[in-house]
Amino acid sequence: MASSLASRRLFQEYRTLTSSPPDGITAGPVSEDDIFLWEALIQGPEGTPFEGGVFPAELKFPKDYPLNPPSMKFLCDIWHPNVYPTGLVCISILHAPGEDPNHYEQASERWSPIQSVEKILISVMSMLAEPNDESPANVEAAKMWREKRGMFEERVRKSVREGLGLA
Amino acid sequence: MDVADPSDWLKTTVPKLAPVESALRCQVCKDFFDTPMITSCSHTFCSLCIRRCLTNDGKCPVCRTADQELRLRRNWTVQEIVDAFQIARPSLSSLAMLELNHSSVEKPTSKRKLDDTDLEEDTDDPIVTVQRRKTRSHDSRLSNSTDQATAPSPNEAVQAVADENHNGNGSAACPICGQRMKEEAVFLHLDTHNEPDAPSQHNLRKSRRAPSVEVVGTSRTNVKPPERLPQLNYSLMKDVALRKKLSELGIPTTGPRSLLVRRHAEWINIVNANADSSRPKSKREMLRELDIWDRSTGRSIASSGNELNNAGSIMRKDFDGAAWSANHSSDFQDLISKARNTGRADSSPRKNGSPANVIVEQENHESTTSAQLIDGLPERPASSTIPNSDDT
Ligand SMILES: [Zn+2]
Ligand SMILES: [Zn+2]
Ligand SMILES: [Zn+2]
């Protein structure tokens, strides 16, 4: 039963997520061989252009989790100020207090060992609803969101429809 | 491995025990407190957990106040409460399950609704709203691997624990003793390992956790406290001196400097946390813990320099898309068909339980049925909750 703190804790989080999953969120390890690689599905929040969409993502955990946060990457195209064109998500909860890529971030919003996969996914859902256009990961998307909101929303809605095969 | 979870209570007649159990667990490891220590900011964590956090960034994980290891104090009362709760848990849980089975009360399901507070601020605790909705998500696909037709009622499962302790055929193995039994029975069986008077051949945690107030008392007064180790200022030490230090301590001296430093810091944490404990371990056990650390965290330091923050660099590079979609097909179909339905019904106002959702559930016979069956089960066995891609 040799298992590290990280794998025990990930297992426990998975247990909790399975027995009481938050609405619109699903997450778990890709396979039983590697508890450090998870996949997640996030539903687009209601009342936003992402509504109706289902967005797959992967989470990669460091071996010293939860001392340090996982990285999260969408596995689909997603047009959003806080998501790099590669799909990598850039929000404060995914940054350890030590690193400071975005100076506006409060230390209190950052990663801490008491955060969890569930809290990350909830933060990402709320990020979809409310982008943060200060030091954006996708500059073009941030610009469009700021200056041409209608166009931004249309573009997102279109990709959601395409993703569902309705377009 | 402790596989009990606070959310277990959500499916019983006493869902309010979930936050009680959450409060008895460390927020870093999510396990029951092991040698709880209180910080200067009055937050409590396992000794080893808070020591590791302080080594990592010098701050309390809850409130981010700077703190030092020397200022940590034991929190004996919390230890006693945790011990007592762990003794009571098996009987509490079977009682709660039995009642659930006898009463005609509708079973609470565990799907939670994200409300505004969830989205706006930190939800403090995982247990917020118990909601009566069909559970989708992993449960539905996991159900493929369970033997639904013969799934016992909670009541039967309790019996099954007793029975299957003797006949060793079943589809799941106890992660502690390896005995085989029906999946549904594993959790209840696991509790027998914690029972103070249950004969178990493999007291994994008992030596440490043997819950008796006297143990705490005696070890405090009679036994000479185990030795503590001082921190080192690594920046002043040359590699040779550092290696010598490690070898004096009897721990491995291999690897690059960054690994030596982290290994030494981990060893200090293990030793000092052990000195805090009312049930100290032998040096051999501590070395085993260090070995576990070396083979997980240590190995990733050695292979990637110092890039633990960058999870990507130490993880599997190629994402197996096929396996992923196989695993998730039922989740996916459920979410997507739900989305399609709402997409078609476009302009109508939507809430949970809207007509669109109902349609989805009717279309999706398979997953609805399995979700219902799962609701009737006492618990999901941990050993088999991780899905196989060949299930779907
Ligand atoms: Zn802990
Ligand atoms: Zn604190
Ligand atoms: Zn066993």
Side-chain angles (χ1 to χ4, degrees):
Chain A
M1 288 306 294
S3 59
S4 64
L5 165 69
S7 48
R8 279 202 305 271
R9 164 137 167 190
L10 284 168
F11 198 80
Q12 192 88 37
E13 284 197 53
Y14 178 54
R15 275 270 286 124
T16 313
L17 274 170
T18 311
S19 61
S20 74
D23 224 14
I25 287 172
T26 281
V30 177
S31 80
E32 50 189 307
D33 309 326
D34 185 5
I35 191 115
F36 292 91
L37 179 64
W38 286 33
E39 67 249 345
L41 289 173
I42 298 180
Q43 248 176 321
E46 290 176 20
T48 74
F50 296 95
E51 176 169 357
V54 178
F55 305 95
E58 69 174 18
L59 289 139
K60 288 177 176 178
F61 297 87
K63 293 286 184 294
D64 64 353
Y65 182 81
L67 295 180
N68 282 297
S71 65
M72 178 169 169
K73 189 177 168 182
F74 279 108
L75 301 170
C76 58
D77 277 338
I78 186 159
W79 185 246
H80 190 285
N82 307 111
V83 180
Y84 285 101
T86 58
L88 203 66
V89 180
C90 180
I91 53 169
S92 50
I93 195 176
L94 291 170
H95 296 133
E99 19 165 345
D100 198 10
N102 303 317
H103 293 283
Y104 65 90
E105 288 174 359
Q106 300 288 309
S108 59
E109 297 168 349
R110 306 279 188 75
W111 177 258
S112 142
I114 66 162
Q115 305 289 14
S116 61
V117 177
E118 176 173 331
K119 285 178 184 169
I120 289 171
L121 296 177
I122 289 171
S123 298
V124 169
M125 247 192 168
S126 89
M127 172 202 84
L128 291 178
E130 291 169 52
N132 181 340
D133 67 337
E134 295 172 64
S135 52
N138 184 336
V139 180
E140 235 186 295
K143 197 157 177 273
M144 191 188 278
W145 182 76
R146 208 182 310 121
E147 293 163 10
K148 297 171 187 158
R149 188 66 58 91
M151 192 190 262
F152 175 87
E153 293 185 347
E154 193 35 54
R155 174 160 181 173
V156 171
R157 270 191 221 103
K158 184 161 175 276
S159 72
V160 166
R161 282 196 304 272
E162 280 166 4
L164 294 172
L166 294 177
Chain B
M1 188 187 281
D2 182 20
V3 283
D5 189 88
S7 60
D8 296 347
W9 298 106
L10 296 178
K11 288 162 191 155
T12 70
T13 43
V14 211
K16 283 179 180 165
L17 278 173
V20 174
E21 182 166 329
S22 288
L24 296 176
R25 287 169 177 265
C26 165
Q27 293 193 76
V28 173
C29 62
K30 311 277 186 204
D31 207 340
F32 285 110
F33 284 113
D34 176 11
T35 313
M37 305 293 280
I38 189 160
T39 61
S40 352
C41 47
S42 304
H43 288 115
T44 296
F45 308 92
C46 307
S47 182
L48 188 53
C49 289
I50 185 60
R51 288 172 184 281
R52 281 170 166 159
C53 291
L54 293 177
T55 302
N56 190 51
D57 66 3
K59 298 201 175 78
C60 167
V62 170
C63 67
R64 295 261 151 235
T65 307
D67 207 354
Q68 294 160 351
E69 275 126 270
L70 288 172
R71 302 175 69 182
L72 298 172
R73 291 292 172 263
R74 292 182 182 91
N75 201 337
W76 293 120
T77 305
V78 168
Q79 182 78 67
E80 282 161 23
I81 297 169
V82 166
D83 290 346
F85 182 82
Q86 285 190 284
I87 297 175
R89 197 183 196 275
S91 19
L92 268 181
S93 78
S94 37
L95 210 66
M97 300 277 186
L98 286 173
E99 255 187 61
L100 184 65
N101 201 39
H102 289 306
S103 67
S104 55
V105 183
E106 267 194 81
K107 276 167 283 183
T109 65
S110 54
K111 184 75 179 179
R112 286 188 293 121
K113 163 97 179 88
L114 288 184
D115 55 25
D116 295 340
T117 47
D118 267 336
L119 283 172
E120 269 156 28
E121 56 198 74
D122 254 4
T123 44
D124 217 358
D125 233 303
I127 317 308
V128 195
T129 328
V130 179
Q131 212 210 354
R132 215 171 279 141
R133 251 191 89 215
K134 275 285 94 59
T135 306
R136 182 209 19 84
S137 94
H138 284 253
D139 278 359
S140 52
R141 73 169 199 254
L142 291 170
S143 63
N144 295 332
S145 61
T146 59
D147 189 2
Q148 289 157 7
T150 58
S153 70
N155 201 8
E156 288 162 344
V158 173
Q159 190 51 49
V161 175
D163 294 346
E164 307 207 4
N165 272 336
H166 303 291
N167 72 45
N169 48 22
S171 54
C174 165
I176 293 179
C177 67
Q179 192 182 308
R180 314 230 27 121
M181 63 199 74
K182 284 205 187 99
E183 284 183 291
E184 304 79 37
V186 172
F187 274 103
L188 288 161
H189 163 86
L190 275 169
D191 279 342
T192 65
H193 288 295
N194 292 331
E195 214 127 39
D197 43 10
S200 76
Q201 326 86 311
H202 40 67
N203 298 344
L204 211 60
R205 348 189 89 212
K206 237 194 200 158
S207 52
R208 282 195 294 137
R209 296 252 155 134
S212 101
V213 180
E214 299 110 79
V215 175
V216 174
T218 45
S219 71
R220 247 186 308 181
T221 50
N222 301 346
V223 182
K224 187 170 152 260
E227 201 194 343
R228 285 173 187 276
L229 293 174
Q231 316 263 334
L232 287 184
N233 187 337
Y234 302 109
S235 60
L236 298 177
M237 292 182 89
K238 295 229 164 69
D239 284 15
V240 183
L242 189 55
R243 255 179 245 278
K244 184 154 169 279
K245 188 79 205 169
L246 265 59
S247 116
E248 280 166 18
L249 291 168
I251 60 177
T253 57
T254 51
R257 183 182 171 88
S258 57
L259 176 57
L260 299 184
V261 167
R262 292 284 297 269
R263 185 188 290 133
H264 182 263
E266 176 70 10
W267 179 245
I268 291 197
N269 288 340
I270 291 173
V271 168
N272 290 349
N274 194 52
D276 293 330
S277 174
S278 56
R279 280 98 63 171
K281 288 166 271 187
S282 66
K283 180 165 183 187
R284 197 180 167 163
E285 283 175 276
M286 290 193 286
L287 284 170
R288 210 177 134 260
E289 270 184 54
L290 184 67
D291 185 51
I292 292 169
W293 178 91
D294 239 313
R295 279 183 285 133
S296 53
T297 315
R299 190 171 289 175
S300 70
I301 295 171
S303 62
S304 67
N306 213 2
E307 293 193 278
L308 278 172
N309 288 343
N310 183 4
S313 65
I314 55 171
M315 309 301 307
R316 186 194 300 176
K317 278 203 207 85
D318 302 311
F319 181 76
D320 186 347
W324 185 87
S325 51
N327 268 336
H328 273 294
S329 57
S330 68
D331 294 336
F332 231 171
Q333 277 151 21
D334 187 22
L335 280 178
I336 287 176
S337 55
K338 203 179 281 183
R340 280 204 181 115
N341 275 297
T342 39
R344 282 181 198 126
D346 217 13
S347 56
S348 63
R350 282 175 293 273
K351 277 184 209 143
N352 278 311
S354 68
N357 287 344
V358 175
I359 293 167
V360 171
E361 292 194 353
Q362 284 166 351
E363 281 175 356
N364 232 338
H365 282 304
E366 220 176 307
S367 66
T368 310
T369 320
S370 39
Q372 279 162 347
L373 281 165
I374 278 172
D375 282 345
L377 299 180
E379 209 24 271
R380 311 293 314 144
S383 56
S384 60
T385 42
I386 300 179
N388 290 314
S389 49
D390 45 331
D391 284 339
T392 41

